Amino acid sequence: MMTLDHDIFIQAFWWLSLIGGIHCFGVALYVRFIYRSTYNRHNILASIFMLVGLYFMTGLLTNDAITLPIHLLLTLLYPLFFLLMPLLYLYSKQSLHPVTFQPHYLKHTLLAMIIALMTTSAILFNIGIDPNATESRVSSITELSRINVFAIILPCLALIQSAIYLALIYRLVKQSRQLQSLNASVPSDNKIEWVTVIAIGILINWIIRLISAYLPFYLGDYQSMIPETITRLSLLVTVYILAFYSLHQVTKAAYLRSINQSTHHPKPTPTSTPVLDDDEMAYLQDVISTTEKTKRTS
């Protein structure tokens, strides 16, 4: 029975990874090459979906598909995920302050580059990483630290980075609402709500991912696929929710624009067409004048 349940979760994990990766890559291509927005916000949004799609695709990696140990390959790919929160912050800032926005990509990607250099050097010189070990024999955090210390350090650093950038996004949203209360030139409520929903969605998924990463060690069942399956399922559901919410926001914005246009540009009142033509009016005037003459003579 346990083997059957394990196989079912392996299949569910594989299909969730495949479907989520295809959907995110498809959305990224659509946003990048078809969708157009002011101030090129779609470029940053496409990069975010590409990173999320890459995270999904890592679930398709198995020992049979690659020659490099999985824990080494995931360690090499992990620095890319340190770009997610900086890109989300830049997208939020560009959405809320498009006129004054000046991106500083180097400052926000410096941490990812440093971590990429550290992990690459550690793998090349076998520092804190055992290249011959596999994750299948790990059953505790102590064993994991001997095999790959970066598997413990990197998620903690990612959590700290996420907390910092979520605080920055919260400050952006708070400043925008304060400016809006002062009737200043600020973005609409739709943009503020959209940024808030994205931040909440990312926060929930980071909490779920952190629990799924460390809880199996304390339960003594690291081989279980349930936590990773739940993580990818929650992320896929979040992507769908964001897609439907974005569609709702676009529809709402189009409706409000149509109302504003009809208010600012009222339709001209149609000119009334005369009931009688010129000949009929002339005949009517003759009848009226004849009637008046008859009254005067009488």
Side-chain angles (χ1 to χ4, degrees), residues 78-92:
Y78 211 98
L80 292 176
F81 302 128
F82 280 86
L83 299 174
L84 178 62
M85 294 306 297
L87 287 176
L88 180 61
Y89 170 73
L90 293 175
Y91 173 76
S92 303

Side-chain angles (χ1 to χ4, degrees), residues 141-159:
I141 294 181
T142 304
E143 294 179 6
L144 181 63
S145 63
R146 289 197 297 264
I147 293 174
N148 190 338
V149 69
F150 287 93
I152 300 176
I153 296 176
L154 294 182
C156 294
L157 290 178
L159 181 64

Side-chain angles (χ1 to χ4, degrees), residues 228-247:
E228 286 293 330
T229 305
I230 293 175
T231 301
R232 279 167 167 75
L233 178 61
S234 67
L235 185 58
L236 184 61
V237 171
T238 302
V239 171
Y240 285 143
I241 291 175
L242 292 177
F244 284 113
Y245 185 81
S246 176
L247 181 62

Side-chain angles (χ1 to χ4, degrees), residues 52-110:
V52 176
L54 180 63
Y55 169 73
F56 273 112
M57 286 301 181
T58 56
L60 304 179
L61 301 176
T62 60
N63 288 321
D64 299 331
I66 58 175
T67 57
L68 190 69
I70 293 180
H71 75 99
L72 294 182
L73 181 60
L74 294 178
T75 303
L76 287 174
L77 293 176
Y78 211 98
L80 292 176
F81 302 128
F82 280 86
L83 299 174
L84 178 62
M85 294 306 297
L87 287 176
L88 180 61
Y89 170 73
L90 293 175
Y91 173 76
S92 303
K93 190 172 183 179
Q94 190 177 37
S95 299
L96 298 178
H97 305 284
V99 179
T100 60
F101 174 73
Q102 294 181 354
H104 300 284
Y105 293 105
L106 181 60
K107 180 177 68 174
H108 293 284
T109 58
L110 185 60

Side-chain angles (χ1 to χ4, degrees), residues 3-144:
T3 304
L4 179 60
D5 293 340
H6 183 70
D7 293 339
I8 291 175
F9 275 102
I10 288 178
Q11 292 294 325
F13 177 78
W14 192 88
W15 280 107
L16 284 173
S17 301
L18 179 63
I19 294 174
I22 292 175
H23 278 67
C24 290
F25 284 142
V27 173
L29 292 176
Y30 169 79
V31 172
R32 178 64 181 85
F33 296 105
I34 299 177
Y35 177 76
R36 287 292 180 270
S37 63
T38 56
Y39 303 101
N40 293 326
R41 288 197 308 271
H42 58 279
N43 294 332
I44 301 179
L45 187 61
S47 301
I48 293 175
F49 276 104
M50 288 292 290
L51 286 176
V52 176
L54 180 63
Y55 169 73
F56 273 112
M57 286 301 181
T58 56
L60 304 179
L61 301 176
T62 60
N63 288 321
D64 299 331
I66 58 175
T67 57
L68 190 69
I70 293 180
H71 75 99
L72 294 182
L73 181 60
L74 294 178
T75 303
L76 287 174
L77 293 176
Y78 211 98
L80 292 176
F81 302 128
F82 280 86
L83 299 174
L84 178 62
M85 294 306 297
L87 287 176
L88 180 61
Y89 170 73
L90 293 175
Y91 173 76
S92 303
K93 190 172 183 179
Q94 190 177 37
S95 299
L96 298 178
H97 305 284
V99 179
T100 60
F101 174 73
Q102 294 181 354
H104 300 284
Y105 293 105
L106 181 60
K107 180 177 68 174
H108 293 284
T109 58
L110 185 60
L111 179 61
M113 291 187 291
I114 293 174
I115 293 176
L117 181 62
M118 290 173 55
T119 53
T120 304
S121 302
I123 292 175
L124 290 177
F125 299 103
N126 296 335
I127 302 174
I129 292 180
D130 184 4
N132 298 320
T134 60
E135 290 183 326
S136 59
R137 300 176 183 175
V138 176
S139 59
S140 65
I141 294 181
T142 304
E143 294 179 6
L144 181 63

Side-chain angles (χ1 to χ4, degrees), residues 152-272:
I152 300 176
I153 296 176
L154 294 182
C156 294
L157 290 178
L159 181 64
I160 295 173
Q161 184 205 43
S162 301
I164 293 173
Y165 275 101
L166 285 172
L168 293 175
I169 294 173
Y170 173 77
R171 188 178 67 176
L172 281 175
V173 173
K174 186 177 180 181
Q175 289 176 350
S176 298
R177 293 193 182 279
Q178 289 176 350
L179 291 175
Q180 199 173 51
S181 63
L182 297 175
N183 296 324
S185 179
V186 294
S188 61
D189 286 332
N190 291 340
K191 292 182 179 179
I192 298 177
E193 292 176 2
W194 169 244
V195 172
T196 304
V197 169
I198 291 181
I200 293 175
I202 294 296
L203 176 61
I204 293 175
N205 279 276
W206 268 114
I207 294 175
I208 295 176
R209 188 174 186 275
L210 181 66
I211 294 174
S212 66
Y214 291 106
L215 186 61
F217 291 109
Y218 295 100
L219 296 178
D221 187 16
Y222 186 71
Q223 304 303 316
S224 177
M225 298 294 296
I226 297 177
E228 286 293 330
T229 305
I230 293 175
T231 301
R232 279 167 167 75
L233 178 61
S234 67
L235 185 58
L236 184 61
V237 171
T238 302
V239 171
Y240 285 143
I241 291 175
L242 292 177
F244 284 113
Y245 185 81
S246 176
L247 181 62
H248 169 71
Q249 291 293 86
V250 170
T251 306
K252 182 179 178 181
Y255 174 72
L256 293 176
R257 280 197 300 267
S258 64
I259 293 179
N260 292 333
Q261 290 177 356
S262 61
T263 304
H264 295 157
H265 302 285
K267 295 180 180 180
T269 56
T271 56
S272 57

Side-chain angles (χ1 to χ4, degrees), residues 276 278-293:
L276 303 177
D278 295 338
D279 295 335
E280 291 173 339
M281 287 295 296
Y283 174 76
L284 183 59
Q285 290 177 357
D286 291 339
V287 172
I288 293 173
S289 60
T290 304
T291 304
E292 290 178 352
K293 290 180 181 179

